[in-house]
Amino acid sequence: MGFAGGRQQFMTESLQPRSGQFSQLQYCNADGHRQRSSSGLTLGPVKDPCPVTDDLYHMARAVRENAHAPYSKFKVGAAIRSPSGIHVGCNVENAAFPDGICAEGGAITSMVAAGDTEILEVLVYAESDSLVTPCGGCRQKLSEFAGPDVKITMAGPAGVMVTMTMAELLPAAFLFKPA
């Protein structure tokens, strides 16, 4: 992490887009201001705020504390907004690796158990010095319930975020079409 103008900024090589398809990624600083660049992370003040609401951030951060991560010691929280409200989940590890549950999968299960099958917005929170995105399996699980334009936000300890659409996060999602 670096500091610019007294504000904490999140900057890592993993945030740099590898191709043109990710040129519209939104990089946010701890003040909640979006920064865009077609060549990577740009520092400097930006006027329009991030689209993520504080309730998802605070709920994902809070549920992260309930994670069961005795093996990796890496706790993750997720919050999903659906038409009926917000559903949360945290990672739950299991000694019979890889039979654990990711935070995103837990939040999806909570949403479906509440009777919803539509994701409107997602926030994933992990305390890490580098960007933590949903794993491949969770990307596919999210795509089952989220349209291509649904915003998926990844947040860290300083509130720094990267927001992508579902289509950017998983550009070639598997879609089952029964015969």
Side-chain angles (χ1 to χ4, degrees):
M1 288 193 214
F3 290 85
R7 292 185 316 197
Q8 194 170 14
Q9 300 285 332
F10 186 85
M11 189 163 147
T12 179
E13 288 299 314
S14 66
L15 289 177
Q16 301 300 321
R18 297 179 195 274
S19 68
Q21 72 176 348
F22 295 107
S23 63
Q24 295 303 309
L25 291 181
Q26 300 171 9
Y27 299 93
C28 301
N29 62 30
D31 294 337
H33 289 89
R34 182 172 32 216
Q35 301 170 347
R36 295 178 192 224
S37 170
S38 60
S39 61
L41 184 65
T42 5
L43 300 177
V46 192
K47 293 182 181 173
D48 79 299
C50 291
V52 176
T53 53
D54 288 340
D55 54 351
L56 288 180
Y57 175 82
H58 292 296
M59 292 180 83
R61 187 173 179 174
V63 75
R64 175 197 165 274
E65 295 303 317
N66 295 338
H68 177 74
Y71 309 105
S72 72
K73 309 288 190 237
F74 190 74
K75 296 180 174 188
V76 181
I80 292 174
R81 184 182 317 283
S82 72
S84 70
I86 295 174
H87 311 277
V88 297
C90 58
N91 58 316
V92 179
E93 295 178 350
N94 188 291
F97 183 79
D99 284 340
I101 300 167
C102 295
E104 301 89 335
I108 290 169
T109 300
S110 175
M111 178 190 76
V112 172
D116 276 341
T117 58
E118 180 186 6
I119 293 176
L120 303 176
E121 185 179 14
V122 178
L123 187 133
V124 178
Y125 180 90
E127 295 202 357
S128 175
D129 289 338
S130 61
L131 179 65
V132 176
T133 63
C135 71
C138 285
R139 292 175 191 210
Q140 183 63 44
K141 289 173 192 169
L142 288 167
S143 75
E144 182 79 12
F145 302 99
D149 295 330
V150 168
K151 302 292 184 193
I152 313 294
T153 299
M154 287 67 67
V160 179
M161 300 171 217
V162 173
T163 298
M164 304 171 77
T165 65
M166 188 69 241
E168 289 170 325
L169 188 63
L170 186 61
F174 174 77
L175 301 172
F176 179 70
K177 294 183 182 178

